[in-house]
Structure formats: C-alpha cells, structure tokens
Amino acid sequence: ETRRLIEDAAQGKSLRGRSPLAGKSVALLFEKPSLRTKVSFQVAVEQLGGYSLYMGGEEVGLGVREPVSDVARVLSGYVDCIVARVFRHEDLQELATYASVPVINALSDWEHPCQAMADLLTIHEHKGGLDGRTLAYIGDGNNVARSLCLALPAVGMNFNCASPVGYDLDEGSVAAATGRGIGAVRTMRSPVEAVADADIVYTDVWASMGQEAEAEQRRLEFAGYTVDPALMAQARPGALFMHDMPAHYGEEVPPGMLEHPQSVAYPQAHNRLHAQKAVLEFLLGDLLTSLVT
C-alpha cells in the first residue's frame, strides 16, 4: 500500500485538472505551529478540488475547552476528513476513536508519518527506487526517527540510527519495525558507523517543539552528532543529505548544509505536497477502489 502511494504521488506531479476531492471538505486542526505541513495540506486539498478549513489550537482548545470526543463527533458532521497536528498522540488516537471520518496524523509527539511519506517519495525519485537502500538517521530518536524506522523496512530499505545515550528509539518501535519487512534496523552510538554504508544521511533538530526547556542540555549531550560535509564524506559516494526542517543551524547542521551539493532538503520539503495529495486521494477519492480491485 505504501509503495503504491509513493508511485501515485510521483505520477501525480504531472497530472493537472483532476478533482477527486470535488465536494469534499477537510478540517485542518493544528495545535502546533506549522509551515510545510499547513501549506502543503491546504494547497493539496485545493488542487484536488476540495475545501479546507484551518483551525488553530486556541480556537478549539482540544481537551481543554471541550472533550476530544466531542470535537471528533461534531467535526465528523461537517467534514469528510480531519487532519490533526497535536501535542499528545493520545489525543490523536481519541480523535480517531470517536470520529466517523478518516483522521490523518499531521504530527504528534509519537509519530510524523506524512513526513516519512514525503521522504520515501524523495528517495524514490533521487535514487531510482527504494529496495536495498540504507538510510542513516543521526540524532534524537524522536517522532520523525520513529516513523522512518517503521516505514523503511516495510518497503525494503535498511535503517541505521545513531543517538547519544538516553535518546535512543524505544525498543518497542525497533521490534515492530524489525518484524514489518525485509529491511534491517540497527541502532548505535557512532554517527560514523551509521553512515558508513548509507545511501541517505538524515538528521533532525535536537530539541523539538515543546522541548525548549531542554534545549541547552541537549546541545551538550548531542555534541558530536552534527551532520556536516566531513560526516557526509564518510557515507557512500553520491549519498543524499536529508532534513525535514526547520533546521537549527549551528546544532544538528552547520550553516549552509541544506545547500550542500548532496542535499535534497528543499525537494524533500516540496514533496510534502505531492505525498499528501496521494494520501488524501487514497482516503477520499477513488484510489482506494483501484487498490482493492
């Protein structure tokens, strides 16, 4: 299913004038600030012929102004899909439990699957396929790392993750990923070891939204985990550099790293639009029927 979505996202780049979401409405419920996720979803819905309604966290007060279950039930009577960007993954799960329409995870503290879909699309385009490729993730075992860990083995890729002590991916996610496909999953301490066989080198911020109070301590503990040209030189020739953005220059990357000759960070960001369009059409258009048949 994931492979088919990636292929359809790639093919959809050249398609115009289609309206599989005609007459459909999508609620964008965002507790967290956003650039790429918000814009890509809004543009995706409009390009597919639908209508989107953006609601910030202060407008809804998810779980504060009213229960999550009530929000889910009410929105289900207005819209055909809920795209939710939340602080707590439990709130996302509760939305999905009580909503009678599809709920898309646009980021939670546990996973960021839409980002992983765009990442797979980018690798597919720039490496000519996914099978047998190895991605080295350098940094915090956060929501982005977890989604990559779960996604890559299922499509035949290998996943190396190098993190400092105390910031590893949880054992449950590693075990689940290992059992999902033929790709290998390895965790380690050394960034050099992680990138040695890598076709893609990937990093993310050391302190995510909501972790600002930990930022100074994390800067100390993540010393040596910066992805720079010297580390890229340790990867396979022609390895891609990826970053989901926003970047904290001077921390996980030096200034100018997103413009490095091997960087595909900006095409990766642009692919959020195309991956999201494929997911929306899968859920609300006729793609699900074609998959089944």
Side-chain angles (χ1 to χ4, degrees):
E1 189 175 274
T2 301
R3 284 179 178 274
R4 176 64 186 275
L5 285 170
I6 297 303
E7 291 168 2
D8 284 332
Q11 294 171 5
K13 286 188 170 187
S14 61
L15 299 177
R16 293 289 185 270
R18 299 164 59 253
S19 301
L21 266 62
K24 303 290 179 63
S25 298
V26 177
L28 306 180
L29 175 55
F30 280 40
E31 289 190 306
K32 289 187 173 186
S34 174
L35 171 61
R36 283 153 293 278
T37 304
K38 176 183 176 181
V39 174
S40 59
F41 265 112
Q42 283 189 314
V43 174
V45 172
E46 182 168 344
Q47 287 189 357
L48 294 175
Y51 172 80
S52 66
L53 173 67
Y54 178 82
M55 295 171 290
E58 69 284 353
E59 296 177 83
V60 178
L62 197 64
V64 178
R65 184 171 175 268
E66 55 184 310
V68 176
S69 56
D70 284 356
V71 173
R73 290 184 174 111
V74 169
L75 285 178
S76 295
Y78 296 145
V79 301
D80 300 286
C81 179
I82 300 170
V83 176
R85 184 178 176 93
V86 299
F87 284 101
R88 299 175 65 252
H89 192 72
E90 293 80 5
D91 289 340
L92 186 80
Q93 292 174 309
E94 191 171 356
L95 274 173
T97 297
Y98 290 98
S100 58
V101 299
V103 175
I104 297 175
N105 181 357
L107 180 142
S108 72
D109 59 349
W110 189 248
E111 275 200 71
H112 198 357
C114 289
Q115 179 65 56
M117 292 295 292
D119 298 339
L120 288 172
L121 173 59
T122 306
I123 297 166
H124 171 78
E125 290 179 329
H126 289 265
K127 284 297 182 182
L130 303 172
D131 286 309
R133 299 295 184 183
T134 296
L135 182 146
Y137 178 93
I138 311 300
D140 186 22
N142 59 15
N143 49 3
V144 172
R146 185 172 293 106
S147 288
L148 289 168
C149 179
L150 291 168
L152 269 54
V155 295
M157 291 184 63
N158 305 310
F159 180 73
N160 296 343
C161 186
S163 304
V165 175
Y167 297 95
D168 297 301
L169 274 169
D170 64 289
E171 293 181 1
S173 294
V174 172
T178 301
R180 290 185 85 167
I182 60 173
V185 176
R186 298 193 302 151
T187 59
M188 59 202 72
R189 294 280 170 251
S190 169
V192 173
E193 180 185 355
V195 306
D197 62 346
D199 303 285
I200 305 100
V201 179
Y202 195 120
T203 192
D204 191 12
V205 296
W206 294 341
S208 301
M209 283 182 288
Q211 298 174 332
E212 289 80 7
E214 307 171 22
E216 186 55 40
Q217 183 63 32
R218 284 172 174 259
R219 275 192 287 271
L220 296 174
E221 294 179 340
F222 279 84
Y225 284 81
T226 296
V227 177
D228 54 18
L231 185 62
M232 287 298 302
Q234 302 297 314
R236 286 179 176 171
L240 304 177
F241 169 70
M242 300 180 73
H243 193 305
D244 57 296
M245 303 175 74
H248 291 176
Y249 297 108
E251 295 183 11
E252 79 277 2
V253 288
M257 191 63 198
L258 270 61
E259 291 81 26
H260 186 278
Q262 291 165 259
S263 172
V264 292
Y266 294 111
Q268 175 187 2
H270 298 153
N271 272 337
R272 293 293 303 279
L273 170 64
H274 306 290
Q276 257 110 252
K277 287 170 74 173
V279 171
L280 286 164
E281 185 172 358
F282 170 76
L283 292 172
L284 302 178
D286 58 3
L287 180 55
L288 182 58
T289 302
S290 66
L291 277 172
V292 171
T293 55

